Amino acid sequence: MTRPIIGRVVPEQWRSTGAPAPLREPGTARIAVDLLGGDHAPAVVVDGALRAVQDDPSLHLTLVGPAEAAGAVLDALDPAEHHRITTVPGGSAAEAVAAGLADALVSAGDTAVTVLSAARALGRWPGVRRPPLAAVLPTAAGRLVLLDVGSSVDPDEPALAMHARLGAAYAAVVHDLPDPRVGLLTIGTEPGKGDRLRRSAPRLLEALPLRYTGLVEGSDVVLGTAADVVVTDGFTGNVLLKALEAAHGAEQADDSRAAVLLGVRGIVVVCHGAATGPDLAGGIGFAAGLHRRAALAAIAELMSYNEVSHE
Amino acid sequence: MTRPIIGRVVPEQWRSTGAPAPLREPGTARIAVDLLGGDHAPAVVVDGALRAVQDDPSLHLTLVGPAEAAGAVLDALDPAEHHRITTVPGGSAAEAVAAGLADALVSAGDTAVTVLSAARALGRWPGVRRPPLAAVLPTAAGRLVLLDVGSSVDPDEPALAMHARLGAAYAAVVHDLPDPRVGLLTIGTEPGKGDRLRRSAPRLLEALPLRYTGLVEGSDVVLGTAADVVVTDGFTGNVLLKALEAAHGAEQADDSRAAVLLGVRGIVVVCHGAATGPDLAGGIGFAAGLHRRAALAAIAELMSYNEVSHE
C-alpha cells in the first residue's frame, strides 16, 4: 500500500519516524503541519491535528516537530489509523512539502518566518517578490478575499498590482467567480482618496487584465457589495483582519481564521498565532480542500493567461 | 435676553439672518453646524439639527449654509424656539466659531476640507502640523480613543508622537482616566513588528511623558484591554473605523459615529459623510458636552504640563 516517492530526493531529516509517506490516492490529501507553530503550540496543534484526522478519513498528516508532540497524536489515535500519520522531527513544514512528503502545509507559527521559509523551500512564481497572504472573509454578499493580511508590510505599486492579480485568480478558482471585482482599499471612494501609495496605485491597477472596480472603504470589506477581492498592504490588512475577527468573535466560519499564501509553488495555509484546536483543524481542512480541487494549478493557469493577454 | 458678543469683530457674512447670536449662559452650548456637509446634506443635517434642538433646551445652533435649508429648521420649530437658531448663509462653520458665534462646530462634510478649514480659521496648537481626528470606540473594557482616523494619512514619527500626546490628554480629560495607557497599533506585540513607520516610532513614544504601554494589534482596538488610547496613521485608522462601524451596524453608540479634531484652537466634531440625522444629532450633543465641561482648556493645560515636565 505504500511506495517511495519517485523522482524526489528525500533529505535525511525527512525520513519518517512513523509510517512511510502515504500513497497519493484520489481524494487523499497529505498535509504537513508545523507542530511548534502558534502561541499555544504544541498542545493546540496536537488537538487540531486529531480533530482533522478524525473528521476526514482521506486525510494524511505529516507532523513536523518534536517526537513527544507527534507521539501525543499517535497515542490518541486508533492504531489502525497510524498509517495516516508521518512524523518528522526537524526542518520546516515547507521543506516537507518541497520534499514531496505532503501536498500542502499548515502553520500557526510566526507569519514572517512561515512566508520566508515557504518562499525559500517552495519557490515563488515569476514576478512575485513578497508572496501575499489572502484571507477569506464572510460578508452578507458572499465570500470576500482580502489581501495582503500580513506578509508585505511596505509594498510598492507593482506589489499591490501583483496582489490584485493573485487575488482575482484565487477568487475565480476557489470562489467560482468567473470575473471577480477587484477594489483598492482606501479612505474614500472619490478618485485621489488615500495616502501616497493609494493615490498612485490606481494607474497600475487600471491597466491590469482584470475587473478593477476602483476605490473601496473599510465598510466594503464587511458588506461585500462593492468588490469580491480587496487589495491592500499587509499592515492595514493585518490590523483590519484582527479587528474584525475580534468584533465577530467566535461566530465566524473556520475558513476565515486561516489565510492562504499566494504566489509560491505550493499550498501554504497560515493560521494566526492565537489559533485554537478547531481553528487549526479548520486550516487543515481548508488546505486539503485546496489540494483536492487542484486550486494551485488552476490559479497558475489563470495567471499565465493574464500574462499572455496583457502582452 | 440677547446682547452682542463683546470684543469680537463679526464679519459681514456672520450677520445673522435670524435672531442675533444668543447669550452665552452657564449650561448653554452654541454649536455651528455645516448644513451642506455630508452625502445626504442638507436633508439629514436639517433632521439632525432639529433632533438636537428638541433634545436639549440649552442648545443654540448656528446653521451655516443655504437659507432654504436653515429655513426648514426654523419652519419645523415652535416660533418661541427661534431665538435658539442663528443662520449664516456663507462661509464655513469653522469661521463661525472663529468669529465667536459658536462654541464648537459639527460637520459631516469632506474630512480633509473640514480639517483644513478648521486649522486655518481657528489655528493649530504649537507643534501640531496636521491635527489628528480622534474617534471614541466602545469596548467591553470601556471607551477607547483611536487616532488618527483620517486626517493625517502619511504621518512621520513626530506626528505619531503628537497623536499620542493629544490622545492621552483627551482620554485623561474626557474619559476621566488620570493616566491612560497609550498603545501603538501594529501587526504583532513583539518588539519590531510592523512596517517602517511602526518599527521606528516606539523610540519616540517611549520618551514621551505619558504611559506608553507598547505595541497593540487590531483586536486590541475592539477588546480595549491593552490600551485606552491607540495611536495610528489616518489611513489605517480610517479603514479600521469604517470597517468596525459596518461590523457593529446600528448597535453602536452615537458618540462613536463622530470624531473630534485635536490640536486646533476650538472644538471641532466631524461626522462621517454617510451620517444620518440621529448621527448628526449625536455629534452635536457630543460637541455640546465637550464645550460644557470645558474639555479643550483642560486638554490644553495637560499638554502644556507635559511639555514642561519633558524639559
Side-chain angles (χ1 to χ4, degrees):
Chain A
M1 287 292 288
T2 61
R3 60 182 181 195
I5 296 162
I6 306 299
R8 295 240 192 211
V9 178
V10 179
E12 182 67 27
Q13 81 241 45
W14 300 119
R15 298 263 170 83
S16 167
T17 58
L23 177 65
R24 187 164 178 167
E25 290 163 347
T28 294
R30 303 169 310 149
I31 312 298
V33 179
D34 180 8
L35 281 172
L36 285 189
D39 301 345
H40 311 295
V44 296
V45 188
V46 167
D47 178 44
L50 277 170
R51 288 170 185 267
V53 169
Q54 285 161 347
D55 286 355
D56 179 349
S58 303
L59 188 71
H60 294 242
L61 295 184
T62 295
L63 304 174
V64 181
E68 318 81 76
V73 177
L74 288 168
D75 291 350
L77 277 181
D78 188 318
E81 301 288 336
H82 282 195
H83 72 279
R84 291 167 58 197
I85 307 291
T86 305
T87 67
V88 176
S92 72
E95 289 167 324
V97 174
L101 287 181
D103 304 310
L105 77 88
V106 174
S107 179
D110 183 273
T111 300
V113 170
T114 305
V115 171
L116 287 175
S117 112
R120 197 180 308 121
L122 301 170
R124 289 166 298 177
W125 286 355
V128 177
R129 277 184 301 173
R130 182 86 178 183
L133 269 172
V136 178
L137 300 175
T139 79
R143 286 177 295 179
L144 179 143
V145 180
L146 175 68
L147 79 169
D148 172 32
V149 295
S151 163
S152 174
V153 293
D154 282 305
D156 55 11
E157 292 81 353
L160 288 187
M162 181 55 78
H163 293 2
R165 293 182 56 202
L166 289 164
Y170 179 89
V173 168
V174 181
H175 296 170
D176 294 316
L177 294 171
D179 197 18
R181 299 161 302 162
V182 178
L184 177 65
L185 185 61
T186 186
I187 61 173
T189 53
E190 308 86 18
K193 281 283 180 183
D195 59 358
R196 278 189 291 268
L197 178 63
R198 261 50 67 145
R199 290 196 300 272
S200 62
R203 279 197 306 273
L204 223 53
L205 294 171
E206 283 157 8
L208 293 176
L210 51 78
R211 190 173 162 200
Y212 174 62
T213 53
L215 304 178
V216 301
E217 299 185 274
S219 49
D220 294 310
V221 174
V222 174
L223 305 175
T225 44
D228 307 301
V229 177
V230 172
V231 171
T232 190
D233 64 282
F235 182 86
T236 308
N238 184 281
V239 165
L240 184 55
L241 180 68
K242 285 179 179 159
L244 289 176
E245 283 174 346
H248 289 309
E251 310 149 40
Q252 199 122 328
D254 283 343
D255 270 16
S256 66
R257 308 278 291 176
V260 59
L261 190 67
L262 298 178
V264 292
R265 299 181 195 278
I267 297 171
V268 178
V269 169
V270 175
C271 297
H272 66 62
T276 62
D279 289 337
L280 274 150
I284 293 167
F286 181 38
L290 291 173
H291 167 67
R292 287 185 176 126
R293 59 192 298 177
L296 204 64
I299 293 170
E301 201 180 318
L302 271 185
M303 293 289 294
S304 318
Y305 169 75
N306 282 348
E307 237 156 21
V308 170
S309 75
H310 195 204
E311 279 167 3
Chain B
M1 287 292 289
T2 60
R3 61 182 182 197
I5 296 163
I6 307 298
R8 295 237 191 213
V9 178
V10 179
E12 184 65 29
Q13 82 237 46
W14 299 121
R15 297 261 171 82
S16 168
T17 58
L23 177 65
R24 187 162 177 169
E25 291 162 346
T28 295
R30 303 170 309 147
I31 312 298
V33 179
D34 180 7
L35 281 172
L36 285 189
D39 302 345
H40 312 295
V44 296
V45 187
V46 167
D47 178 45
L50 277 170
R51 288 171 185 266
V53 169
Q54 285 162 348
D55 286 356
D56 179 349
S58 304
L59 188 71
H60 294 242
L61 295 184
T62 295
L63 304 174
V64 181
E68 316 82 78
V73 176
L74 288 168
D75 291 349
L77 277 181
D78 187 319
E81 303 288 335
H82 282 195
H83 72 280
R84 292 168 58 198
I85 307 290
T86 306
T87 65
V88 176
S92 71
E95 288 167 326
V97 174
L101 286 183
D103 304 310
L105 77 89
V106 174
S107 179
D110 183 273
T111 300
V113 171
T114 304
V115 170
L116 286 175
S117 112
R120 198 182 307 122
L122 302 170
R124 290 166 298 177
W125 287 355
V128 175
R129 278 185 301 174
R130 181 88 179 180
L133 270 173
V136 177
L137 299 175
T139 78
R143 286 177 295 179
L144 180 142
V145 180
L146 175 68
L147 80 171
D148 174 32
V149 296
S151 163
S152 172
V153 294
D154 282 305
D156 55 11
E157 292 82 354
L160 287 187
M162 182 54 79
H163 293 3
R165 292 184 56 204
L166 290 165
Y170 178 89
V173 168
V174 182
H175 297 170
D176 294 316
L177 294 170
D179 196 18
R181 299 161 303 161
V182 178
L184 176 66
L185 185 60
T186 185
I187 62 172
T189 53
E190 309 86 16
K193 281 283 180 183
D195 59 358
R196 277 188 291 266
L197 178 64
R198 261 48 70 142
R199 290 195 300 272
S200 62
R203 277 195 309 271
L204 223 53
L205 294 171
E206 284 159 7
L208 293 175
L210 50 77
R211 189 171 163 202
Y212 173 63
T213 53
L215 305 178
V216 301
E217 300 185 272
S219 50
D220 293 310
V221 174
V222 173
L223 304 175
T225 45
D228 306 301
V229 177
V230 171
V231 171
T232 191
D233 64 282
F235 183 87
T236 307
N238 185 281
V239 165
L240 184 54
L241 180 68
K242 286 179 178 158
L244 288 176
E245 283 173 346
H248 287 135
E251 310 150 41
Q252 201 124 325
D254 283 342
D255 270 15
S256 66
R257 307 277 292 177
V260 59
L261 190 67
L262 298 177
V264 291
R265 299 180 195 278
I267 299 172
V268 179
V269 169
V270 175
C271 298
H272 65 65
T276 62
D279 291 337
L280 274 149
I284 292 168
F286 181 38
L290 291 174
H291 168 67
R292 286 184 176 127
R293 60 192 298 177
L296 204 64
I299 293 170
E301 201 181 319
L302 270 184
M303 294 289 294
S304 319
Y305 169 75
N306 282 348
E307 236 156 20
V308 171
S309 75
H310 195 205
E311 277 166 5

